[in-house]
Amino acid sequence: LTGKDLAGCRILVSAGPTREEIDPVRYLSNRSSGRMGFAIAAAARRRGAIVTLVAGPVQLMPPAGVEVVSVVSARQMHEVMLGRFAAADVVIKAAAVADYRPMIRQQQKMKKKSEEFILDLEKTPDILAELGQRKAHQILVGFAAETEDLLEHARKKLVSKNLDMIVANDVSIPGAGFDVDTNIVRFIYRNGEMENLELMSKTDVANHLLDRICPLWKKTC
Ligand code: C5P
């Protein structure tokens, strides 16, 4: 229907969780399946875009015609996203990047000892916020998965990370968010406007999102 409206547009998408190693056999991660980001990459490619997909550890088939760069940790995702930022027209960060990582990765498998155990964590770099600071011509889109005060949190992130648009989804609603094929999202824009989408497949969410991004991108060409 939409044809090749994104022909020539260079889109960088991140998807999936990250894994932060504790020792050789353990890690911290989250329930992200990567499906939303993969759906965006596939839809963008079908619409003619030149797509790079930076994917954390997921169990999904790479979309046809898309360059996939596999990463594991937030550190690796940070490096790849920053390295590829200058060459992108549109960046969509659908990845669920770990917010914290162990301060020290143990070289050997840790042994059980005391009844209680405290793991020291440090913040990972906020990749999207850094991209927001470096933004030149790029259209920058973030995701906000929340379980409470969805709009308030999403609006704050839109501003603090210098985004053009944020996709907010309440992951506590059945049929929305992690590990399902459907999503219920709201689009929020810089001017404060908001759009509520009903429950739909992640592919349909992806196409609605690209419908909104396309005119923003065309304006910058
Ligand atoms: O702050 P929060 O994690 O909720 O923001 C979500 C958005 O920020 C997502 O688009 C996510 O990909 C991005 N993010 C990031 N680097 C982090 C944390 C989140 O790029 N360390």
PDB file of all heavy atoms in Angstrom, residues 99-115:
ATOM      1  N   ASP A  99      19.917  -1.484  32.346  1.00  0.00           N
ATOM      2  CA  ASP A  99      20.245  -0.202  32.973  1.00  0.00           C
ATOM      3  C   ASP A  99      21.484  -0.305  33.860  1.00  0.00           C
ATOM      4  O   ASP A  99      22.198   0.667  34.040  1.00  0.00           O
ATOM      5  CB  ASP A  99      19.062   0.295  33.801  1.00  0.00           C
ATOM      6  CG  ASP A  99      17.905   0.714  32.908  1.00  0.00           C
ATOM      7  OD1 ASP A  99      18.182   1.324  31.862  1.00  0.00           O
ATOM      8  OD2 ASP A  99      16.750   0.425  33.248  1.00  0.00           O
ATOM      9  N   TYR A 100      21.710  -1.490  34.407  1.00  0.00           N
ATOM     10  CA  TYR A 100      22.863  -1.708  35.286  1.00  0.00           C
ATOM     11  C   TYR A 100      23.620  -2.965  34.869  1.00  0.00           C
ATOM     12  O   TYR A 100      23.038  -3.882  34.304  1.00  0.00           O
ATOM     13  CB  TYR A 100      22.405  -1.880  36.741  1.00  0.00           C
ATOM     14  CG  TYR A 100      21.833  -0.609  37.329  1.00  0.00           C
ATOM     15  CD1 TYR A 100      20.474  -0.332  37.234  1.00  0.00           C
ATOM     16  CD2 TYR A 100      22.671   0.316  37.954  1.00  0.00           C
ATOM     17  CE1 TYR A 100      19.954   0.842  37.760  1.00  0.00           C
ATOM     18  CE2 TYR A 100      22.152   1.484  38.478  1.00  0.00           C
ATOM     19  CZ  TYR A 100      20.800   1.744  38.386  1.00  0.00           C
ATOM     20  OH  TYR A 100      20.283   2.906  38.896  1.00  0.00           O
ATOM     21  N   ARG A 101      24.893  -2.986  35.174  1.00  0.00           N
ATOM     22  CA  ARG A 101      25.707  -4.183  34.921  1.00  0.00           C
ATOM     23  C   ARG A 101      26.590  -4.428  36.134  1.00  0.00           C
ATOM     24  O   ARG A 101      26.897  -3.473  36.886  1.00  0.00           O
ATOM     25  CB  ARG A 101      26.562  -3.993  33.675  1.00  0.00           C
ATOM     26  CG  ARG A 101      27.597  -2.898  33.811  1.00  0.00           C
ATOM     27  CD  ARG A 101      28.380  -2.696  32.519  1.00  0.00           C
ATOM     28  NE  ARG A 101      29.105  -1.436  32.576  1.00  0.00           N
ATOM     29  CZ  ARG A 101      29.296  -0.638  31.538  1.00  0.00           C
ATOM     30  NH1 ARG A 101      28.844  -0.951  30.342  1.00  0.00           N
ATOM     31  NH2 ARG A 101      29.962   0.484  31.670  1.00  0.00           N
ATOM     32  N   PRO A 102      27.036  -5.685  36.313  1.00  0.00           N
ATOM     33  CA  PRO A 102      27.949  -5.949  37.429  1.00  0.00           C
ATOM     34  C   PRO A 102      29.213  -5.103  37.291  1.00  0.00           C
ATOM     35  O   PRO A 102      29.753  -4.969  36.183  1.00  0.00           O
ATOM     36  CB  PRO A 102      28.271  -7.432  37.277  1.00  0.00           C
ATOM     37  CG  PRO A 102      27.100  -7.988  36.534  1.00  0.00           C
ATOM     38  CD  PRO A 102      26.667  -6.901  35.590  1.00  0.00           C
ATOM     39  N   MET A 103      29.671  -4.538  38.396  1.00  0.00           N
ATOM     40  CA  MET A 103      30.887  -3.717  38.347  1.00  0.00           C
ATOM     41  C   MET A 103      32.089  -4.556  37.967  1.00  0.00           C
ATOM     42  O   MET A 103      33.000  -4.083  37.294  1.00  0.00           O
ATOM     43  CB  MET A 103      31.127  -3.044  39.697  1.00  0.00           C
ATOM     44  CG  MET A 103      30.148  -1.921  39.938  1.00  0.00           C
ATOM     45  SD  MET A 103      30.414  -1.116  41.502  1.00  0.00           S
ATOM     46  CE  MET A 103      31.845  -0.127  41.130  1.00  0.00           C
ATOM     47  N   ILE A 104      32.055  -5.807  38.410  1.00  0.00           N
ATOM     48  CA  ILE A 104      33.171  -6.712  38.105  1.00  0.00           C
ATOM     49  C   ILE A 104      32.616  -7.996  37.515  1.00  0.00           C
ATOM     50  O   ILE A 104      31.653  -8.553  38.028  1.00  0.00           O
ATOM     51  CB  ILE A 104      33.954  -7.051  39.395  1.00  0.00           C
ATOM     52  CG1 ILE A 104      34.584  -5.772  39.956  1.00  0.00           C
ATOM     53  CG2 ILE A 104      35.024  -8.115  39.131  1.00  0.00           C
ATOM     54  CD1 ILE A 104      35.083  -5.916  41.372  1.00  0.00           C
ATOM     55  N   ARG A 105      33.216  -8.435  36.409  1.00  0.00           N
ATOM     56  CA  ARG A 105      32.880  -9.755  35.883  1.00  0.00           C
ATOM     57  C   ARG A 105      33.894 -10.749  36.442  1.00  0.00           C
ATOM     58  O   ARG A 105      35.090 -10.596  36.214  1.00  0.00           O
ATOM     59  CB  ARG A 105      32.949  -9.758  34.360  1.00  0.00           C
ATOM     60  CG  ARG A 105      32.634 -11.112  33.755  1.00  0.00           C
ATOM     61  CD  ARG A 105      33.081 -11.161  32.295  1.00  0.00           C
ATOM     62  NE  ARG A 105      32.786 -12.454  31.696  1.00  0.00           N
ATOM     63  CZ  ARG A 105      33.569 -13.527  31.822  1.00  0.00           C
ATOM     64  NH1 ARG A 105      34.684 -13.483  32.534  1.00  0.00           N
ATOM     65  NH2 ARG A 105      33.223 -14.662  31.223  1.00  0.00           N
ATOM     66  N   GLN A 106      33.413 -11.729  37.191  1.00  0.00           N
ATOM     67  CA  GLN A 106      34.314 -12.709  37.796  1.00  0.00           C
ATOM     68  C   GLN A 106      34.908 -13.619  36.717  1.00  0.00           C
ATOM     69  O   GLN A 106      34.200 -14.049  35.814  1.00  0.00           O
ATOM     70  CB  GLN A 106      33.561 -13.565  38.834  1.00  0.00           C
ATOM     71  CG  GLN A 106      32.916 -12.749  39.945  1.00  0.00           C
ATOM     72  CD  GLN A 106      33.946 -12.034  40.826  1.00  0.00           C
ATOM     73  OE1 GLN A 106      35.073 -12.498  40.988  1.00  0.00           O
ATOM     74  NE2 GLN A 106      33.542 -10.890  41.376  1.00  0.00           N
ATOM     75  N   GLN A 107      36.195 -13.892  36.819  1.00  0.00           N
ATOM     76  CA  GLN A 107      36.857 -14.732  35.816  1.00  0.00           C
ATOM     77  C   GLN A 107      36.465 -16.200  35.947  1.00  0.00           C
ATOM     78  O   GLN A 107      36.450 -16.935  34.967  1.00  0.00           O
ATOM     79  CB  GLN A 107      38.388 -14.627  35.961  1.00  0.00           C
ATOM     80  CG  GLN A 107      38.933 -13.229  35.681  1.00  0.00           C
ATOM     81  CD  GLN A 107      38.714 -12.784  34.253  1.00  0.00           C
ATOM     82  OE1 GLN A 107      39.059 -13.498  33.317  1.00  0.00           O
ATOM     83  NE2 GLN A 107      38.099 -11.620  34.073  1.00  0.00           N
ATOM     84  N   GLN A 108      36.177 -16.609  37.189  1.00  0.00           N
ATOM     85  CA  GLN A 108      35.799 -18.004  37.443  1.00  0.00           C
ATOM     86  C   GLN A 108      34.363 -18.061  37.942  1.00  0.00           C
ATOM     87  O   GLN A 108      33.873 -17.089  38.518  1.00  0.00           O
ATOM     88  CB  GLN A 108      36.719 -18.631  38.513  1.00  0.00           C
ATOM     89  CG  GLN A 108      38.203 -18.517  38.208  1.00  0.00           C
ATOM     90  CD  GLN A 108      38.616 -19.239  36.942  1.00  0.00           C
ATOM     91  OE1 GLN A 108      37.980 -20.227  36.538  1.00  0.00           O
ATOM     92  NE2 GLN A 108      39.662 -18.742  36.291  1.00  0.00           N
ATOM     93  N   LYS A 109      33.710 -19.185  37.750  1.00  0.00           N
ATOM     94  CA  LYS A 109      32.345 -19.345  38.249  1.00  0.00           C
ATOM     95  C   LYS A 109      32.322 -19.111  39.757  1.00  0.00           C
ATOM     96  O   LYS A 109      33.123 -19.686  40.497  1.00  0.00           O
ATOM     97  CB  LYS A 109      31.843 -20.754  37.928  1.00  0.00           C
ATOM     98  CG  LYS A 109      30.394 -20.939  38.305  1.00  0.00           C
ATOM     99  CD  LYS A 109      29.931 -22.370  38.104  1.00  0.00           C
ATOM    100  CE  LYS A 109      28.602 -22.530  38.826  1.00  0.00           C
ATOM    101  NZ  LYS A 109      28.244 -23.919  39.015  1.00  0.00           N
ATOM    102  N   MET A 110      31.396 -18.273  40.187  1.00  0.00           N
ATOM    103  CA  MET A 110      31.348 -17.929  41.613  1.00  0.00           C
ATOM    104  C   MET A 110      30.804 -19.093  42.425  1.00  0.00           C
ATOM    105  O   MET A 110      29.922 -19.815  41.983  1.00  0.00           O
ATOM    106  CB  MET A 110      30.466 -16.690  41.802  1.00  0.00           C
ATOM    107  CG  MET A 110      31.072 -15.462  41.173  1.00  0.00           C
ATOM    108  SD  MET A 110      29.932 -14.094  41.157  1.00  0.00           S
ATOM    109  CE  MET A 110      30.105 -13.525  42.814  1.00  0.00           C
ATOM    110  N   LYS A 111      31.331 -19.229  43.637  1.00  0.00           N
ATOM    111  CA  LYS A 111      30.916 -20.326  44.521  1.00  0.00           C
ATOM    112  C   LYS A 111      29.854 -19.839  45.495  1.00  0.00           C
ATOM    113  O   LYS A 111      29.868 -18.694  45.918  1.00  0.00           O
ATOM    114  CB  LYS A 111      32.136 -20.826  45.315  1.00  0.00           C
ATOM    115  CG  LYS A 111      33.231 -21.426  44.446  1.00  0.00           C
ATOM    116  CD  LYS A 111      32.960 -22.894  44.211  1.00  0.00           C
ATOM    117  CE  LYS A 111      34.035 -23.578  43.383  1.00  0.00           C
ATOM    118  NZ  LYS A 111      33.838 -23.435  41.931  1.00  0.00           N
ATOM    119  N   LYS A 112      28.965 -20.769  45.848  1.00  0.00           N
ATOM    120  CA  LYS A 112      27.994 -20.475  46.912  1.00  0.00           C
ATOM    121  C   LYS A 112      28.731 -20.400  48.227  1.00  0.00           C
ATOM    122  O   LYS A 112      29.511 -21.280  48.541  1.00  0.00           O
ATOM    123  CB  LYS A 112      27.042 -21.659  47.071  1.00  0.00           C
ATOM    124  CG  LYS A 112      25.785 -21.610  46.289  1.00  0.00           C
ATOM    125  CD  LYS A 112      24.880 -22.747  46.715  1.00  0.00           C
ATOM    126  CE  LYS A 112      25.411 -24.111  46.339  1.00  0.00           C
ATOM    127  NZ  LYS A 112      24.659 -24.833  45.350  1.00  0.00           N
ATOM    128  N   LYS A 113      28.467 -19.333  48.980  1.00  0.00           N
ATOM    129  CA  LYS A 113      29.098 -19.261  50.301  1.00  0.00           C
ATOM    130  C   LYS A 113      28.076 -18.828  51.326  1.00  0.00           C
ATOM    131  O   LYS A 113      27.361 -19.656  51.874  1.00  0.00           O
ATOM    132  CB  LYS A 113      30.289 -18.296  50.269  1.00  0.00           C
ATOM    133  CG  LYS A 113      31.535 -18.923  49.661  1.00  0.00           C
ATOM    134  CD  LYS A 113      32.751 -17.996  49.809  1.00  0.00           C
ATOM    135  CE  LYS A 113      33.715 -18.153  48.643  1.00  0.00           C
ATOM    136  NZ  LYS A 113      34.046 -16.891  48.008  1.00  0.00           N
ATOM    137  N   SER A 114      27.957 -17.528  51.536  1.00  0.00           N
ATOM    138  CA  SER A 114      27.083 -17.036  52.602  1.00  0.00           C
ATOM    139  C   SER A 114      25.605 -17.125  52.210  1.00  0.00           C
ATOM    140  O   SER A 114      25.262 -17.312  51.045  1.00  0.00           O
ATOM    141  CB  SER A 114      27.457 -15.585  52.900  1.00  0.00           C
ATOM    142  OG  SER A 114      27.484 -14.876  51.684  1.00  0.00           O
ATOM    143  N   GLU A 115      24.731 -16.959  53.206  1.00  0.00           N
ATOM    144  CA  GLU A 115      23.284 -16.975  52.978  1.00  0.00           C
ATOM    145  C   GLU A 115      22.839 -15.788  52.143  1.00  0.00           C
ATOM    146  O   GLU A 115      21.904 -15.879  51.376  1.00  0.00           O
ATOM    147  CB  GLU A 115      22.545 -16.927  54.328  1.00  0.00           C
ATOM    148  CG  GLU A 115      22.537 -18.262  55.070  1.00  0.00           C
ATOM    149  CD  GLU A 115      21.886 -19.372  54.236  1.00  0.00           C
ATOM    150  OE1 GLU A 115      20.797 -19.139  53.697  1.00  0.00           O
ATOM    151  OE2 GLU A 115      22.508 -20.448  54.121  1.00  0.00           O
TER     152      GLU A 115
END
